[in-house]
Amino acid sequence: MKKNINSGEKYRLPILGLLALAMAGFMAIMTETLPAGLLPQISNGLNVSESLAGQLVTLYAVGSLTAAIPVIVATRRWRRRPLLLSAICGFLVFNSVTAISSSYILTLIARFFAGVSAGIAWGLIAGYARRMVSDELKGRGMAIAMIGTPIALTFGVPIGTFLGAFIGWRSVFGIMSFMAFILIGWILWKVPDYPGQSNDEQLSIIDVFKTPGVRSILFVVMTWMTAHNILYTYIAPFLISLDMQRVDLALFLFGISALTSIFIVGSLIDRWLRFLVLSSIAVFTIDSVLFGINGGNAIVIYIGVIMWGLTFGGAATLLQTALAETVKDEAVDMVMSINTTVWNLAIASGALTGGILLKTIGPSSFSGAMFVLLLLALFTALKSKQHGFN
């Protein structure tokens, strides 16, 4: 069901509503990654080793990965705002449990269901953003709705880690719960409700997966994001192997350039989707070579990190827009749930591949692995002109 937009609203963006969606994405990323910066405190608080505390991140990812598709399928007939609110309520409840639990097992369970909430949210945000704006502004609307991700990665986690040192890790999760409470009111205030799908509108997941272009785009998601996560997961040992100790500076430069990329993509995506996808992958491919032949030159590495951020910041918006443009309107939430699953598989694949390479060959091998993956992504995107990236 398409939204009717009169001529006076045609080129107007519902900024506050889109920013509420961005806040939901910010919360999902923050909830996922906070334990990584608070592992020593969490391990002491739960009386477990740091490696076991690290499984709080794993269980969250498993929850997102396993729930995204089945939950979206099971709730296709639900009205959209109550479903979105259920995801935010999940963050409120399960972050609160994490904040007060003294049981490691209970905390793991809470983290799993927080991941389920994230899987629901990621399945809804892109399709929701597109329904809130006119056809001429769909890409820009998605860019605004996705801005919470790079902000969380750039500023949220370091700030959360910093606060944890002063007020404790439980209080940080308590703050996340309070933010979820505020967001519930924000969504009720500024995010419109939309109907779910009737029986005759529903497509099976197989039908959506078989839609021409979808598999090509998902393959690009898998290869591009696996390459990214090989480097991003192990950026510290990679930089240290090049005698660079300022990992914080590199990540800050990456984050700022990623934010810049969001604004660039948001202004151009509705006219230049294919060009932006191809140029982003091509520049990152060149960047992978640059990382391999830099010889430890700090300036070259920092330039490479900035280029990397510029290619990555708008990636989620580009890929989700391509998927949304490829399927019918009634299949957008379904294809986004598939994308969430593939995206999380790519994160796991990048972490696993990078870990094996780090242990067996060393961080110098990252460049070659990334180059091969990115060439595959670029070749697939180039071939997918008629169906997929057009």
Side-chain angles (χ1 to χ4, degrees):
M1 178 177 179
K2 291 197 174 191
K3 182 182 177 183
N4 293 323
I5 299 176
N6 63 44
S7 57
E9 297 176 321
K10 186 175 181 180
Y11 296 107
R12 185 180 304 163
L13 285 167
I15 296 296
L16 288 177
L18 292 170
L19 287 178
L21 298 178
M23 184 65 177
F26 175 87
M27 187 167 298
I29 294 293
M30 282 286 290
T31 302
E32 178 177 14
T33 56
L34 269 178
L38 300 169
L39 281 185
Q41 295 182 45
I42 293 174
S43 66
N44 289 332
L46 296 177
N47 295 314
V48 296
S49 66
E50 288 191 16
S51 61
L52 285 177
Q55 300 314 303
L56 299 186
V57 178
T58 303
L59 263 291
Y60 185 97
V62 170
S64 296
L65 182 67
T66 58
I69 293 175
V71 171
I72 291 297
V73 169
T75 57
R76 281 186 294 181
R77 299 182 65 181
W78 290 26
R79 296 193 66 85
R80 298 294 89 183
R81 190 166 66 178
L83 183 56
L84 178 61
L85 286 170
S86 71
I88 308 306
C89 287
F91 289 129
L92 170 62
V93 171
F94 298 116
N95 277 331
S96 297
V97 172
T98 301
I100 64 176
S101 170
S102 59
S103 165
Y104 176 66
I105 299 300
L106 178 60
T107 305
L108 284 180
I109 294 171
R111 291 291 296 174
F112 175 85
F113 284 105
V116 170
S117 300
I120 297 171
W122 288 126
L124 291 173
I125 290 173
Y128 222 126
R130 290 174 64 83
R131 294 177 80 170
M132 288 171 64
V133 301
S134 64
D135 290 341
E136 295 81 4
L137 298 173
K138 288 186 183 297
R140 192 173 301 178
M142 278 188 60
I144 295 172
M146 295 303 299
I147 199 172
T149 298
I151 290 176
L153 290 172
T154 306
F155 302 110
V157 175
I159 290 174
T161 304
F162 176 79
L163 286 175
F166 288 92
I167 63 176
W169 67 273
R170 296 184 185 278
S171 296
V172 175
F173 279 97
I175 290 173
M176 293 300 299
S177 296
F178 179 73
M179 289 172 61
F181 179 76
I182 297 298
L183 182 56
I184 289 170
W186 189 353
I187 290 171
L188 289 169
W189 177 43
K190 281 296 179 180
V191 177
D193 192 14
Y194 297 106
Q197 296 175 8
S198 61
N199 289 333
D200 57 351
E201 291 178 318
Q202 293 183 10
L203 297 173
S204 72
I205 188 171
I206 301 299
D207 291 334
V208 175
F209 186 71
K210 287 183 176 180
T211 301
V214 167
R215 282 165 293 177
S216 295
I217 298 171
L218 292 174
F219 182 80
V220 172
V221 171
M222 188 68 189
T223 49
W224 186 357
M225 291 306 112
T226 298
H228 163 78
N229 282 286
I230 287 174
L231 184 59
Y232 189 80
T233 306
Y234 301 99
I235 185 64
F238 175 76
L239 292 176
I240 292 171
S241 73
L242 299 174
D243 295 324
M244 295 183 63
Q245 305 300 319
R246 293 301 307 275
V247 178
D248 56 344
L249 177 58
L251 289 176
F252 178 77
L253 292 173
F254 173 83
I256 293 298
S257 57
L259 284 175
T260 303
S261 173
I262 283 282
F263 291 105
I264 294 172
V265 167
S267 63
L268 299 177
I269 189 171
D270 291 306
R271 291 171 293 159
W272 299 98
L273 173 62
R274 179 174 173 79
F275 171 78
L276 290 169
V277 170
L278 293 176
S279 60
S280 294
I281 300 173
V283 171
F284 193 22
T285 304
I286 296 170
D287 213 20
S288 69
V289 176
L290 189 65
F291 282 130
I293 63 173
N294 66 81
N297 186 300
I299 300 300
V300 173
I301 295 170
Y302 285 136
I303 290 173
V305 167
I306 292 171
M307 291 169 57
W308 174 26
L310 287 172
T311 64
F312 176 74
T317 302
L318 291 170
L319 293 167
Q320 291 190 55
T321 299
L323 283 168
E325 295 288 344
T326 300
V327 301
K328 298 178 180 179
D329 287 348
E330 58 267 24
V332 170
D333 289 349
M334 177 66 72
V335 82
M336 291 307 160
S337 68
I338 300 173
N339 177 66
T340 299
T341 300
V342 173
W343 196 285
N344 279 280
L345 282 173
I347 292 173
S349 177
L352 177 62
T353 303
I356 292 172
L357 291 173
L358 182 65
K359 185 174 182 179
T360 58
I361 304 176
S364 61
S365 61
F366 292 173
S367 176
M370 292 164 58
F371 180 74
V372 172
L373 288 165
L374 291 166
L375 274 186
L376 290 171
L378 184 59
F379 178 74
T380 302
L382 280 168
K383 285 192 65 178
S384 303
K385 185 173 183 179
Q386 183 176 2
H387 298 295
F389 300 105
N390 48 40

